[in-house]
Amino acid sequence: MFGAKKEVNKSRAWKRLENHYKSLRKLEMRDMFKKDPQRAERYNVSLESMVLDYSKNRINERTMKYLLTLAKECKLDERIKEMFAGDKINITEHRAVLHTALRNRSNTPVYVDGKDVMPEINAVLAKVRKFSEAVRLGEFKGHTGKKLTNIVNIGIGGSDLGPKMATEALKKYWGKDIKCYFISNIDGTACCEVLNEVDPETTLFIVSSKTFTTIETLTNARTCRKWLVDALGEPAVAKHFVAVSTNTKEVEKFGINPENMFEFWDFVGGRYSMWSAIGLSIAIAIGMDNFEKMLDGAHTMDLHFKNTEFSKNIPVILGLLGVWYNNFFGLKNYAVIPYDQYLTYLPAYLQQLDMESNGKFVSNNNEYVKYGTAPVLFGGAGTDVQHSFFQMIHQGTSIVPCDFIIPAISHNEVGDHHEILVANVLAQGEALMRGKTVKEAAEELKKAGKSKEEIDFLKKFKSFRGNRPSNTFVIKKVDPYALGMLVAMYEHKVFVEGVIWNIDSFDQMGVELGKQMALSILPELQSNASGVAHDSSTSGLIKLVKSLRK
Ligand code: F6P
């Protein structure tokens, strides 16, 4: 179990990696490729049709050996078993962590407090199937008898980002008359913009909230409820509102019949919940068969993670590389760049997954950690981002390890778009790795007929240091199965890092302080009440906004 043990940065494996880093940091990847024609094969793992090429990393065999020893010293194998077995590895909240049970397609029993959770999970999945099919077939109709074709998910964080990312990723699989919308932000604009587009008679609202106490979600849900009742009357609520939550009491209090509620459980973290009924909007959009294919893909990744030796285990390798760059190279940024328009929201989804899970400064030993934890994750779809932040990735003073994701086949094969897209992603990885020396830049300028003065002036500006790491993932196509694999892979990567850093990746106490303070500021904005004493900046800003709103 988790608990007191030597801090990882004091371990032998860590010290050995620190020493190893000192010699390895001088090595150039372009030289390593030149010396070792087998490098690409050596650092390559696959799972079914997904391939990870991690050869463009600043590693050699010794690095991987030492990192794997670190994983062993941190007892990663035991931690993996504990997670899958339903042990309470979320130590601050005393909870099991069982998003893997939600997609346990083998249906083997999984016990929490001596009770097999699979029958309940299967029952909710059956309910999701029944309801999503009824909506898609127009059997579950709106109050006025019309088919419900506008699906509006109201939720935030894990109750929004997963469904939003997955529905967008799988847009090609949407039922032909279905449209999905997402309202998350408390900013009234988010709500109004969606309500302006949809018709109350054909709109289904899914209020998704694990706790059903989140101010953004409840405020948005109340506004949408009022909009519906104003248009169709109170009895319409039963036909246009459903809830997904762990909190039946609050759902009822809100005015949604528990019969229209889809349950999930405390052992599912918000940011790990798209596999549960939180995925209801996904199931309605793409159909339950496709939703289950996504679960199948995730399960395949789960089995791979659970059963594959670490040297060939994709999430383990990714997690260890994350630790390598973060803790030994001192790199605090990390970019994920999917080269597929449908995966546009993947980086935003991964931001919560990675940064809410591992952005922690207290270890499981109840001590402040003395090493870096979650990096700043950012990203966006290629090639768009090549024209925004890639300048910094290539020539900036910080090195940013990148994950590139590319499907071999596009859902929209038009002209030579896809080949150009693929050429770009491959070029970025190669350019980051190789770079261009000042000498090479000078030669190029010479060939272009530049004068000596121009060459001398420009050659540094035109050079690229290179030696910048990236992973390349190739998948066949962005389909439900591949998406399931990809997302589960990142979940486990984050878990691996959390185990090495000896932190609880499954709570999120860091979001509480801001929420608490907002609650104390709100009455001051709404009336003349003066709440708690603020600093002069905050008090001044409250006064300013109030005067501008007069
Ligand atoms: O931001 C904190 C958080 O608790 C996330 O972890 C969660 O995904 C989100 O708020 C929404 O919470 P809920 O699903 O309970 O509304």
Side-chain angles (χ1 to χ4, degrees):
M1 266 308 287
F2 281 62
K5 62 176 186 192
K6 195 157 131 192
E7 290 293 353
V8 64
N9 60 333
K10 304 265 163 36
S11 70
R12 276 185 50 205
W14 190 279
K15 296 279 167 216
R16 195 157 70 154
L17 279 159
E18 277 175 343
N19 287 330
H20 172 62
Y21 162 73
K22 285 178 201 150
S23 57
L24 192 117
R25 58 187 269 268
K26 296 181 197 125
L27 302 184
E28 294 286 331
M29 281 191 276
R30 57 153 80 183
D31 296 333
M32 296 199 255
F33 269 101
K34 224 181 269 168
K35 274 192 200 136
D36 176 9
Q38 257 80 56
R39 184 171 172 86
E41 285 135 62
R42 203 181 305 287
Y43 301 110
N44 187 298
V45 267
S46 59
L47 176 59
E48 298 186 354
S49 59
M50 176 196 270
V51 175
L52 162 62
D53 178 333
Y54 64 104
S55 60
K56 294 189 187 84
N57 277 292
R58 292 175 68 175
I59 52 171
N60 61 20
E61 288 198 17
R62 208 167 270 187
T63 321
M64 290 318 292
K65 186 175 154 206
Y66 294 170
L67 285 169
L68 291 166
T69 309
L70 178 69
K72 268 196 204 119
E73 273 192 24
C74 293
K75 302 207 164 30
L76 177 61
D77 49 349
E78 286 177 30
R79 302 285 98 94
I80 294 174
K81 278 192 201 124
E82 286 163 3
M83 176 171 72
F84 279 93
D87 288 5
K88 299 202 173 163
I89 62 169
N90 177 353
I91 58 164
T92 58
E93 297 177 319
H94 311 289
R95 287 179 186 163
V97 173
L98 278 177
H99 43 284
T100 52
L102 301 171
R103 61 230 186 181
N104 172 18
R105 313 298 291 157
S106 319
N107 207 19
T108 45
V110 180
Y111 296 97
V112 176
D113 294 326
K115 184 180 159 206
D116 181 10
V117 296
M118 288 314 297
E120 279 184 57
I121 288 173
N122 291 332
V124 173
L125 280 177
K127 190 170 170 182
V128 170
R129 172 175 282 283
K130 197 166 161 211
F131 184 73
S132 58
E133 282 174 356
V135 172
R136 284 168 66 88
L137 294 170
E139 290 164 359
F140 184 95
K141 293 183 185 3
H143 181 62
T144 58
K146 288 199 179 161
K147 189 174 178 194
L148 295 166
T149 51
N150 297 312
I151 313 301
V152 180
N153 185 77
I154 306 173
I156 197 162
S159 300
D160 165 69
L161 291 164
K164 185 174 165 186
M165 176 276 293
T167 47
E168 183 66 20
L170 302 172
K171 208 167 193 168
K172 267 284 165 181
Y173 299 82
W174 287 16
K176 73 174 179 341
D177 50 0
I178 301 278
K179 274 191 154 180
C180 291
Y181 301 86
F182 293 87
I183 302 176
S184 56
N185 202 330
I186 190 64
D187 184 343
T189 303
C191 218
C192 291
E193 283 296 331
V194 171
L195 296 181
N196 283 343
E197 273 195 46
V198 296
D199 171 356
E201 289 184 272
T202 54
T203 301
L204 174 71
F205 293 98
I206 304 174
V207 188
S208 298
S209 175
K210 180 174 170 180
T211 54
F212 229 78
T213 56
T214 305
I215 192 164
E216 289 93 336
T217 302
L218 292 190
T219 310
N220 281 324
R222 269 187 222 111
T223 301
C224 292
R225 193 181 194 282
K226 182 172 181 312
W227 173 86
L228 182 90
V229 170
D230 286 350
L232 303 179
E234 185 69 31
V237 172
K239 291 288 180 190
H240 293 264
F241 268 83
V242 297
V244 184
S245 187
T246 57
N247 193 342
T248 317
K249 225 168 93 195
E250 287 300 321
V251 169
E252 245 183 312
K253 217 162 103 190
F254 179 84
I256 295 177
N257 186 336
E259 271 176 30
N260 286 344
M261 171 180 155
F262 296 80
E263 194 194 358
F264 70 113
W265 309 270
D266 268 352
F267 57 72
V268 180
R271 52 192 175 275
Y272 298 87
S273 65
M274 65 177 238
W275 323 98
S276 71
I278 288 288
L280 183 60
S281 53
I282 313 172
I284 297 174
I286 66 173
M288 194 60 187
D289 289 346
N290 279 324
F291 185 79
E292 286 186 348
K293 279 185 197 150
M294 190 177 82
L295 302 185
D296 291 341
H299 184 54
T300 298
M301 185 55 73
D302 291 344
L303 294 178
H304 166 81
F305 181 51
K306 197 173 153 193
N307 300 328
T308 309
E309 65 164 279
F310 287 173
S311 65
K312 298 199 168 52
N313 192 313
I314 299 175
V316 172
I317 292 169
L318 292 175
L320 291 175
L321 288 172
V323 169
W324 178 229
Y325 291 125
N326 190 328
N327 301 113
F328 299 93
F329 278 73
L331 308 181
K332 301 300 172 201
N333 299 304
Y334 164 44
V336 180
I337 330 282
Y339 275 69
D340 190 287
Q341 186 76 25
Y342 289 123
L343 294 177
T344 293
Y345 297 130
L346 183 68
Y349 170 82
L350 295 177
Q351 246 166 9
Q352 188 200 12
L353 176 65
D354 203 320
M355 292 161 82
E356 196 167 86
S357 296
N358 285 344
K360 311 281 165 73
F361 61 36
V362 181
S363 77
N364 289 329
N365 291 354
N366 209 347
E367 277 169 22
Y368 294 114
V369 298
K370 298 201 176 53
Y371 40 86
T373 56
V376 176
L377 189 156
F378 66 104
T383 59
D384 279 349
V385 295
Q386 291 178 199
H387 301 270
S388 57
F389 59 73
F390 264 54
Q391 163 65 38
M392 179 269 187
I393 303 242
H394 283 285
Q395 285 189 322
T397 48
S398 311
I399 297 176
V400 183
C402 295
D403 281 1
F404 295 119
I405 302 165
I406 177 78
I409 302 167
S410 166
H411 279 291
N412 299 291
E413 293 278 352
V414 268
D416 54 3
H417 286 237
H418 197 64
E419 280 95 357
I420 298 173
L421 184 77
V422 176
N424 269 278
V425 66
L426 300 183
Q428 291 302 327
E430 190 171 18
L432 285 169
M433 183 275 287
R434 277 185 55 79
K436 190 186 284 178
T437 61
V438 176
K439 197 170 154 221
E440 285 167 344
E443 273 159 17
E444 239 180 56
L445 286 163
K446 198 172 167 193
K447 265 193 210 141
K450 301 285 177 198
S451 67
K452 184 167 179 322
E453 292 74 47
E454 274 179 306
I455 295 171
D456 283 345
F457 177 66
L458 282 177
K459 63 187 182 189
K460 277 201 205 95
F461 291 105
K462 295 267 190 188
S463 71
F464 293 76
R465 289 239 169 95
N467 218 12
R468 300 194 169 204
S470 65
N471 291 312
T472 306
F473 299 93
V474 181
I475 57 175
K476 196 159 173 200
K477 201 172 188 170
V478 179
D479 60 19
Y481 187 84
L483 184 73
M485 279 175 85
L486 203 59
V487 174
M489 173 190 86
Y490 276 113
E491 286 177 346
H492 296 320
K493 172 212 186 245
V494 167
F495 176 76
V496 169
E497 291 175 328
V499 168
I500 306 290
W501 292 327
N502 192 28
I503 53 177
D504 184 342
S505 301
F506 301 102
D507 63 10
Q508 53 284 321
M509 302 199 178
V511 301
E512 294 308 324
L513 181 59
K515 284 188 196 172
Q516 225 175 41
M517 287 192 161
L519 286 180
S520 81
I521 292 174
L522 183 61
E524 294 179 56
L525 287 168
Q526 287 175 331
S527 71
N528 280 331
S530 59
V532 291
H534 300 289
D535 57 88
S536 58
S537 161
T538 310
S539 303
L541 291 167
I542 293 173
K543 234 170 152 181
L544 173 69
V545 174
K546 276 176 92 166
S547 75
L548 289 173
R549 280 176 66 82
K550 259 183 199 151

